[in-house]
Amino acid sequence: MTDRNLTDAPVALTTTMLLEHWQGHRRLTRRVIEAFPDDQLFTFSAGGMRTFAQLATEMLQMIEPTMKGVLENDWSPGGYGRPGPTTKPDLLDAWDAADRALAESWPKITPERFHESASAFGLWTAPVITTLMYLVDNEIHHRGQGYVYLRMLGVTPPSFYQRRPQLAEPGEEER
Amino acid sequence: MTDRNLTDAPVALTTTMLLEHWQGHRRLTRRVIEAFPDDQLFTFSAGGMRTFAQLATEMLQMIEPTMKGVLENDWSPGGYGRPGPTTKPDLLDAWDAADRALAESWPKITPERFHESASAFGLWTAPVITTLMYLVDNEIHHRGQGYVYLRMLGVTPPSFYQRRPQLAEPGEEER
């Protein structure tokens, strides 16, 4: 995705729609964390991969440094890579704190900033929207891996299409 | 995501950017199909889940019926759910055919249509953009599961951030 004239181009997602879309995914990921047996969340993995606690910690630790980079062009890693929570309640608390940081930061991003190029963490140079989409995609990608872990543990994962703040009855839920 | 006034709202993604984003993901998923040993693609799974060939078949079979629904409001299932390809070359051919269908259909979607509500396949009612995002998300989700399968098979998966048409050298590739 590169810079382009946005004035007349048809819109797929407004910035508010993208935030809501991501927040829906974050609610689902939270349910996946909750679905893990307390111990397996921190111990189970397959194929030599990371535990789901480690994957979820990566997801949540990306948010604050990314928002700081987007808002202040300070791309220092912040808390990213620090040892994560070691209990499910602490992981859920950290998850919720990242949600609050996202909700508070997002409205401060100017419309132009989404399409400015930035050297994110010195790792890649891309429009800010590309970096934000990377975080959403990374969450979906690793959460899908959590689904495999849950199935291997004999636990039925939450429905992929349930993204609302409140869990509706299945019949009321959009798929 | 619901109907809203798009005229003045800040833009996250234009429709062209979303298509390119999806096509990047589809290139990566194709590489994941290629990375599987020919037999394991159709036989290996974990936790009682589907094989990666079955998951990839679901992804590609959703595209033509969805495009028909979006363009003609005909939400019949078409080829969805039919027995899929049984060899890797046939699966890759079907994958490429779905790519062509996507590339040909997408420019025909009117700007307004993305935000019209539609009863997709009689399964859910949502703005067309929500249904399109569902397909992208579903592909990322299941492809992430394919990464677990590959790791369990001792195969290193393609890098998650490689989405370009041509594989660049790692140093040239945006992450």
Side-chain angles (χ1 to χ4, degrees):
Chain A
M1 290 181 286
T2 52
D3 291 339
R4 53 195 76 214
N5 183 349
L6 298 167
T7 313
D8 300 317
V11 177
L13 292 177
T14 67
T15 59
T16 301
M17 289 164 74
L18 179 58
L19 174 63
E20 291 176 1
H21 183 71
W22 191 0
Q23 288 173 326
H25 275 300
R26 291 190 55 75
R27 286 189 287 268
L28 175 58
T29 309
R30 192 184 199 282
R31 285 183 201 125
V32 172
I33 296 170
E34 288 180 301
F36 268 85
D38 285 25
D39 52 343
Q40 305 284 15
L41 178 59
F42 295 90
T43 56
F44 184 82
S45 79
M49 294 174 60
R50 289 172 283 176
T51 65
F52 195 66
Q54 288 174 304
L55 296 173
T57 296
E58 176 188 86
M59 297 172 202
L60 74 88
Q61 286 185 340
M62 289 171 85
I63 290 188
E64 287 202 56
T66 299
M67 289 297 128
K68 193 175 180 68
V70 171
L71 290 176
E72 304 171 26
N73 217 29
D74 171 1
W75 292 96
S76 53
Y80 182 80
R82 288 200 193 136
T86 56
T87 68
K88 190 197 280 190
D90 286 351
L91 180 58
L92 291 170
D93 283 350
W95 192 261
D96 295 340
D99 268 345
R100 288 192 296 275
L102 178 63
E104 285 164 18
S105 304
W106 192 275
K108 297 177 187 163
I109 309 174
T110 62
E112 304 76 37
R113 182 59 173 160
F114 285 90
H115 305 283
E116 285 175 9
S117 188
S119 176
F121 306 109
L123 291 173
W124 63 87
T125 299
V128 161
I129 182 62
T130 301
T131 296
L132 295 172
M133 291 296 286
Y134 185 87
L135 266 66
V136 180
D137 294 347
N138 188 60
E139 177 168 338
I140 301 169
H141 172 73
H142 286 313
R143 186 184 59 214
Q145 299 173 339
Y147 274 60
V148 183
Y149 292 3
L150 286 175
R151 290 284 183 195
M152 291 176 78
L153 291 166
V155 177
T156 302
S159 295
F160 181 64
Y161 51 84
Q162 289 189 325
R163 318 266 176 82
R164 290 185 178 174
Q166 305 299 328
L167 276 175
E169 293 299 309
E172 301 172 53
E173 182 74 40
E174 288 174 13
R175 278 195 66 187
Chain B
M1 291 179 287
T2 53
D3 290 340
R4 55 194 76 214
N5 183 347
L6 298 167
T7 312
D8 301 317
V11 177
L13 292 177
T14 66
T15 58
T16 301
M17 289 164 74
L18 178 58
L19 173 62
E20 290 175 1
H21 183 71
W22 191 0
Q23 288 173 326
H25 275 300
R26 291 188 56 74
R27 286 189 286 267
L28 174 58
T29 309
R30 192 184 199 283
R31 284 182 202 127
V32 173
I33 296 170
E34 288 181 301
F36 269 85
D38 285 25
D39 52 343
Q40 304 284 14
L41 179 59
F42 294 90
T43 56
F44 184 83
S45 79
M49 296 174 60
R50 289 172 284 175
T51 65
F52 195 66
Q54 288 175 303
L55 296 173
T57 297
E58 177 188 85
M59 296 172 202
L60 75 90
Q61 286 185 340
M62 289 172 86
I63 289 188
E64 286 203 56
T66 299
M67 289 298 128
K68 193 175 179 67
V70 171
L71 290 175
E72 303 171 24
N73 217 29
D74 170 1
W75 292 96
S76 53
Y80 182 78
R82 289 201 192 136
T86 55
T87 68
K88 190 195 278 191
D90 286 352
L91 181 58
L92 291 170
D93 283 349
W95 192 261
D96 295 341
D99 267 346
R100 288 192 296 274
L102 178 63
E104 286 164 17
S105 305
W106 191 275
K108 298 178 187 163
I109 309 174
T110 62
E112 305 75 36
R113 182 59 173 161
F114 284 90
H115 305 284
E116 285 175 6
S117 188
S119 176
F121 305 109
L123 291 173
W124 64 87
T125 300
V128 161
I129 181 62
T130 302
T131 296
L132 295 172
M133 291 296 286
Y134 185 87
L135 265 66
V136 180
D137 294 347
N138 188 61
E139 178 168 337
I140 300 169
H141 172 73
H142 286 312
R143 186 185 57 214
Q145 299 173 338
Y147 274 61
V148 183
Y149 292 3
L150 285 175
R151 289 283 183 196
M152 293 176 77
L153 290 166
V155 177
T156 301
S159 295
F160 181 63
Y161 51 82
Q162 288 189 325
R163 316 268 176 83
R164 289 187 179 174
Q166 303 299 327
L167 276 175
E169 292 300 308
E172 302 172 52
E173 181 75 37
E174 290 175 12
R175 277 196 66 187

